[in-house]
Amino acid sequence: MVKAKNNRTLTIGDDERQLLQQYVLSADALAPDSCDDKVVCGDMAKCLERLPDSYYDLIILDPPYNLSRNFHGKTFHAVPDEDYERYLLSWFDTVCRKLAPHGTLYMCGDWRSSAVMLRVVSSRLTVLNRITWQREKGRGAQRNWKNAMEDIWFAVNDPRNYFFDVEAVKMKRKVLAPYTVDGMPKDWQASDDGKYRMTYPSNFWDDISIPFWSMPENTDHPTQKPEKLYAKLILASSKPGDRILDPFAGSGTAAVVAKKLGRHFTAIEWNDTYCLWTAKRLLLADADNSIQGYSDGVFWERNSQQCGKKKTEKKKG
């Protein structure tokens, strides 16, 4: 099928598959002493067995939500809440053993699964907050409210000892009614693009669009997370050089953003095509480490700043 002129959705030709395969490990080839910056294709439980305990500074979980959905050949079926909770508990403790004592974990979910996820996360970690992000997309409903929100549970191993860099995730917002004191700006600054204020991040995120066909990060994964979304999690809860684990890697967004921001990653995914998408995205990040909606160390409001086209300097660990 011929793509539209402005359709930038990532594709992989037959001639690329063999080249990209060299960047993907099997679960049997994964070694605990060399698991940094690896994309691993295989069963999650088997892969986790080969990872060292207390190793990762940050873990991002985006498991299948309690919905019926086809992930290119593997269908996850919606089940009663108690069965879904058993599914999450079947692997959650093992995942938590990989988290460093000072580490942070985020778990993504939607309204159907969010309450169950809270119980599961709370069984092992201390939950500090719930982030809700507005996807600005979703099917309309005749007899219900349109579902356009998702949750992210923010939890830590030790609430007395964890990393959080609030300065790294402030947002640049336009000031519509600027105040002045003695003729000078109060809590805002002027620029060629208008008047702006750097604001502290809240737990409601309305500045993020899910990937769509005109964005270079877009793939055909049915539930792909935006790079900007994961950039906030990674910048807030890890330092350059830290290690990040994503056991449900999908199309590789966490790994790609980790690389762009100078962190190490381990990405686990059962679908070999998704792993190849991840490998290609990682190679493309060598030439362009920009993140749409984030530039010059600043998160911009939705649609107020386009992704930079030039390669930006990567933070070094």
Side-chain angles (χ1 to χ4, degrees):
M1 181 180 295
V2 179
K3 294 195 299 183
K5 178 180 179 181
N6 295 323
N7 188 336
R8 305 175 72 184
T9 300
L10 180 140
T11 58
I12 293 177
D14 293 338
D15 57 334
E16 293 180 282
R17 297 185 72 89
Q18 186 173 358
L19 170 66
L20 294 172
Q21 194 64 54
Q22 65 181 304
Y23 298 104
V24 179
L25 289 181
S26 67
D28 292 333
L30 181 62
D33 59 349
S34 60
C35 54
D36 288 347
D37 304 322
K38 297 293 192 299
V39 179
V40 189
C41 187
D43 176 72
M44 180 183 67
K46 186 175 182 180
C47 293
L48 290 174
E49 290 175 0
R50 294 176 172 268
L51 298 179
D53 290 346
S54 303
Y55 187 71
Y56 292 95
D57 305 282
L58 173 61
I59 297 177
I60 299 176
L61 297 175
D62 186 21
Y65 299 171
N66 195 13
L67 301 167
S68 295
R69 189 176 290 274
N70 189 325
F71 293 94
H72 289 82
K74 184 175 182 179
T75 301
F76 191 94
H77 295 283
V79 295
D81 283 354
E82 55 269 25
D83 293 338
Y84 186 68
E85 187 165 354
R86 279 192 288 270
Y87 160 71
L88 297 178
L89 288 170
S90 70
W91 47 259
F92 186 71
D93 187 69
T94 303
V95 168
C96 288
R97 289 204 303 271
K98 309 306 169 183
L99 189 63
H102 61 272
T104 295
L105 180 144
Y106 291 98
M107 182 185 278
C108 304
D110 79 337
W111 71 270
R112 293 178 183 86
S113 52
S114 191
V116 174
M117 287 180 167
L118 173 60
R119 291 199 297 272
V120 170
V121 175
S122 299
S123 71
R124 183 65 170 73
L125 304 173
T126 299
V127 174
L128 298 183
N129 212 328
R130 179 186 70 180
I131 299 164
T132 298
W133 68 283
Q134 183 184 27
R135 295 178 305 172
E136 201 190 48
K137 189 175 181 181
R139 292 183 178 180
Q142 294 293 326
R143 298 174 59 85
N144 202 341
W145 306 105
K146 178 179 175 180
N147 183 23
M149 305 286 188
E150 293 191 21
D151 290 333
I152 305 174
W153 292 103
F154 168 34
V156 296
N157 245 338
D158 183 354
R160 300 161 299 180
N161 177 30
Y162 66 95
F163 178 79
F164 191 81
D165 185 359
V166 72
E167 294 295 330
V169 287
K170 284 186 175 180
M171 184 184 297
K172 195 166 187 177
R173 290 188 180 275
K174 284 188 176 182
V175 179
L176 301 180
Y179 288 96
T180 60
V181 176
D182 297 328
M184 300 300 293
K186 179 177 173 56
D187 299 327
W188 59 270
Q189 56 186 0
S191 71
D192 293 339
D193 298 320
K195 300 178 176 66
Y196 289 91
R197 175 181 292 116
M198 296 301 297
T199 62
Y200 277 83
S202 74
N203 62 351
F204 175 66
W205 296 356
D206 61 352
D207 61 308
I208 299 171
S209 297
I210 64 171
F212 52 90
W213 57 272
S214 65
M215 296 169 64
E217 69 186 80
N218 189 51
T219 73
D220 283 327
H221 192 281
T223 61
Q224 181 178 345
K225 290 295 186 293
E227 290 187 7
K228 185 179 181 183
L229 181 79
Y230 278 4
K232 291 192 176 192
L233 305 181
I234 289 171
L235 286 168
S237 295
S238 70
K239 301 183 290 291
D242 277 357
R243 299 180 176 94
I244 298 169
L245 171 64
D246 181 0
F248 298 92
S251 64
T253 298
V256 171
V257 176
K259 179 175 182 177
K260 288 183 176 184
L261 297 176
R263 277 72 166 167
H264 298 290
F265 62 85
T266 304
I268 300 171
E269 172 56 44
W270 69 271
N271 186 300
D272 57 346
T273 296
Y274 294 176
C275 289
L276 296 180
W277 290 350
T278 300
K280 183 167 181 176
R281 292 178 69 189
L282 288 166
L283 290 175
L284 292 172
D286 287 332
D288 181 4
N289 64 5
S290 61
I291 296 171
Q292 185 156 325
Y294 174 74
S295 61
D296 299 322
V298 172
F299 286 97
W300 295 75
E301 293 180 272
R302 191 198 303 264
N303 301 327
S304 65
Q305 179 78 356
Q306 294 298 316
C307 175
K309 295 183 178 180
K310 295 183 178 180
K311 179 176 171 64
T312 56
E313 183 178 354
K314 183 187 296 183
K315 296 183 180 180
K316 302 295 183 180

